[in-house]
Amino acid sequence: MNPARPPLALTPEPPYYAVIFTSLRTAGDAGYRRMSERMVELAAQQPGFLGVDSAREADGCGITVSYWKDEDSIRGWKAHLEHAVAQRLGKEKWYAAYSLRVAKVERASTNNTNSGPPDSTD
Amino acid sequence: MNPARPPLALTPEPPYYAVIFTSLRTAGDAGYRRMSERMVELAAQQPGFLGVDSAREADGCGITVSYWKDEDSIRGWKAHLEHAVAQRLGKEKWYAAYSLRVAKVERASTNNTNSGPPDSTD
């Protein structure tokens, strides 16, 4: 969403946490894009934020995965006042369906050239 | 990719595993779409497969999250002969960059109407 951030998130060695948010959008924008960009901007300022990856198909199916240092960081972000408002509006009008999963990243590999050579821990 | 599957994956109660694959595509198709559809079809036949969500932006940034019963299921799928070929071709020609993360899903919530009422464990 923000062209200034790296194309793929660069995260430290596991363990850390991933919040996997999958959703289907309702029709129309209704303030969604602006909120979405604001949430990425705001998340990046939170303690324990490690990065975010996001993609949405033209038909409305989207996935955002944000990465966090620990469970406390996730709780802090969930409770953030402005984020709480966005969560409520999302349930009310932006998302036809959504699922949210909190997962502990145990291992990772990448060839992302910004983060050094690929490892083979997977 | 397959219009017959549900728009968002329906998964059982945690714990289970998520394989988070983020990537940037190289230019052109070069057999990618066909392989991609085949891999979803094949993954769905593997022991321990629970579901998959996938989205790709028009600019090439994509996320696929597949859900698995346990680590053994993930190891089995990683070693599958046809999948191993796709992994090699992916590294050689389809992906300009990629990251793969294996994570244990600890809690989840959804309003996905196909899966019953929302819970509030997050």
Side-chain angles (χ1 to χ4, degrees):
Chain A
M1 284 161 234
N2 178 353
R5 68 185 173 86
L8 293 182
L10 299 174
T11 45
E13 287 297 302
Y16 53 87
Y17 276 81
V19 176
I20 305 164
F21 183 72
T22 57
S23 65
L24 293 176
R25 285 274 287 113
T26 49
D29 185 72
Y32 172 75
R33 178 178 294 270
R34 190 173 154 189
M35 173 284 300
S36 177
E37 289 171 358
R38 172 64 181 151
M39 286 304 116
V40 169
E41 180 186 292
L42 199 59
Q45 298 167 10
Q46 301 312 303
F49 175 84
L50 300 177
V52 62
D53 287 310
S54 195
R56 182 169 294 280
E57 294 275 338
D59 68 2
C61 174
I63 305 176
T64 297
V65 188
S66 57
Y67 308 101
W68 300 88
K69 185 184 170 196
D70 52 29
E71 289 253 45
D72 271 356
S73 318
I74 296 171
R75 272 190 288 270
W77 172 230
K78 182 178 159 68
H80 187 288
L81 190 62
E82 201 173 334
H83 185 210
V85 171
Q87 289 170 66
R88 183 173 56 76
L89 290 173
K91 290 176 187 183
E92 283 174 14
K93 63 177 185 176
W94 289 318
Y95 300 119
Y98 68 87
S99 293
L100 187 141
R101 295 174 175 92
V102 177
K104 185 177 188 177
V105 179
E106 298 181 346
R107 51 203 173 89
S109 61
T110 186
N111 78 339
N112 200 335
T113 48
N114 291 330
S115 60
D119 64 59
S120 53
T121 55
D122 65 298
Chain B
M1 286 162 231
N2 178 352
R5 66 186 174 85
L8 292 183
L10 300 173
T11 44
E13 287 296 303
Y16 54 87
Y17 276 81
V19 176
I20 306 163
F21 183 73
T22 56
S23 65
L24 293 176
R25 286 274 288 111
T26 48
D29 186 71
Y32 172 75
R33 179 177 292 271
R34 190 172 154 190
M35 173 284 300
S36 176
E37 289 170 357
R38 172 64 181 153
M39 286 305 115
V40 169
E41 181 186 292
L42 198 60
Q45 297 167 11
Q46 303 311 303
F49 175 84
L50 300 177
V52 63
D53 287 311
S54 195
R56 182 170 293 281
E57 294 275 340
D59 68 3
C61 174
I63 304 176
T64 296
V65 188
S66 57
Y67 308 102
W68 300 88
K69 186 183 170 196
D70 51 28
E71 289 251 46
D72 271 356
S73 320
I74 295 171
R75 272 189 288 269
W77 172 230
K78 180 179 161 68
H80 188 289
L81 191 63
E82 201 172 334
H83 185 210
V85 171
Q87 289 170 64
R88 182 172 55 78
L89 289 173
K91 291 176 187 185
E92 284 174 14
K93 63 178 185 176
W94 288 319
Y95 301 120
Y98 69 87
S99 294
L100 187 140
R101 295 174 175 90
V102 177
K104 186 176 188 178
V105 178
E106 298 181 346
R107 52 202 172 89
S109 61
T110 185
N111 77 339
N112 199 336
T113 47
N114 291 331
S115 62
D119 64 60
S120 52
T121 55
D122 67 297

